[in-house]
Amino acid sequence: TASIAVIGESAFENCLQLTSFTVPATVTSIATKAFAGCESLTSIQFATEGATELEIADFAFMNCTRIATITLPDHLDEFRSTAFEGCDSIKEIKVSATNKHYINDENGILYKKEENSTALTELLFYPKGLAKENNGVINNLPSTLTTIGGSAFSNNNYLVSVTIPASVTVIDNNAFSCLQTYSATITDAASFTTGITVIASQSISILILQGNS
């Protein structure tokens, strides 16, 4: 039996009959828009026996609006923050405890995993459904956070306010490229560098810097 190595670009795009899918362990790449627009899809599982590596590309699951939770497998070694663009129902991202590259916190927020450490330092993806559940008020980012990754909050239209810990030193490109206005509060004295297009000019109403007086 032939094994599948790649789920190609737009392979299942707009397949409205698809409700669940198990990714074979032989698959090493899920390409751009592979499952985009699968609006009936509620469950994604990953077979793991014999699996060695997996890459999930940009927009792989774009606009899969019924997915509420997903567990990323041990063998995932490359994940794009925009993979779940438009997946407004996702409330929780879980990651296999033995994954070497990614980790989730108790709220289901996705972070990059530091080698030989469980410290949450780089935020990769904040689920849109979680933001909605919290009425758009984001105040649960850890005090260990140093980096808000590119597209971490991209197009998260549920955002109302975001409290950024003083430990943050880097906000990457498009981290807050949202459509709805919101305010961002930087607690204490945070000095940080930002990407060129971190916050779209039409997206932000107030940026408050609270320094030590």
Side-chain angles (χ1 to χ4, degrees):
T1 303
S3 60
I4 300 172
V6 176
I7 298 178
E9 183 172 343
S10 301
F12 294 94
E13 186 174 8
N14 296 324
C15 183
L16 300 182
Q17 292 75 32
L18 189 65
T19 59
S20 64
F21 191 90
T22 298
V23 179
T26 54
V27 169
T28 59
S29 177
I30 300 176
T32 299
K33 295 187 177 181
F35 294 92
C38 293
E39 296 179 359
S40 300
L41 186 63
T42 60
S43 174
I44 293 287
Q45 305 291 327
F46 296 89
T48 58
E49 186 174 355
T52 57
E53 59 182 327
L54 177 65
E55 175 187 356
I56 300 179
D58 288 306
F59 313 116
F61 296 95
M62 184 175 69
N63 295 332
C64 290
T65 54
R66 295 187 63 189
I67 297 176
T69 183
I70 189 167
T71 299
L72 301 176
D74 171 79
H75 60 286
L76 177 67
D77 55 7
E78 189 167 348
F79 170 85
R80 305 293 185 183
S81 296
T82 54
F84 297 108
E85 185 80 21
C87 297
D88 290 2
S89 296
I90 291 184
K91 296 181 180 180
E92 182 180 42
I93 300 284
K94 297 180 180 178
V95 186
S96 168
T98 51
N99 187 289
K100 296 180 180 179
H101 306 283
Y102 305 101
I103 188 172
N104 64 276
D105 68 6
E106 68 275 8
N107 298 304
I109 304 168
L110 183 65
Y111 298 85
K112 184 177 181 181
K113 192 172 188 177
E114 298 295 323
E115 188 174 1
N116 300 319
S117 173
T118 57
L120 305 175
T121 59
E122 183 173 346
L123 172 64
L124 296 180
F125 180 76
Y126 195 102
K128 294 177 176 66
L130 180 61
K132 181 180 180 181
E133 192 173 68
N134 292 332
N135 297 315
V137 178
I138 311 303
N139 56 12
N140 55 358
L141 301 181
S143 59
T144 55
L145 191 67
T146 61
T147 301
I148 297 178
S151 302
F153 291 95
S154 177
N155 294 316
N156 193 330
N157 293 331
Y158 298 112
L159 293 185
V160 175
S161 66
V162 182
T163 298
I164 301 174
S167 54
V168 170
T169 57
V170 176
I171 300 178
D172 281 338
N173 284 344
N174 297 312
F176 291 97
S177 58
C178 308
L179 299 178
Q180 180 169 308
T181 59
Y182 65 95
S183 65
T185 300
I186 290 78
T187 60
D188 300 324
S191 58
F192 54 86
T193 58
T194 63
I196 297 172
T197 55
V198 175
I199 302 172
S201 59
Q202 71 272 21
S203 301
I204 189 164
S205 57
I206 305 172
L207 178 63
I208 306 171
L209 303 179
Q210 293 184 332
N212 293 327
S213 56

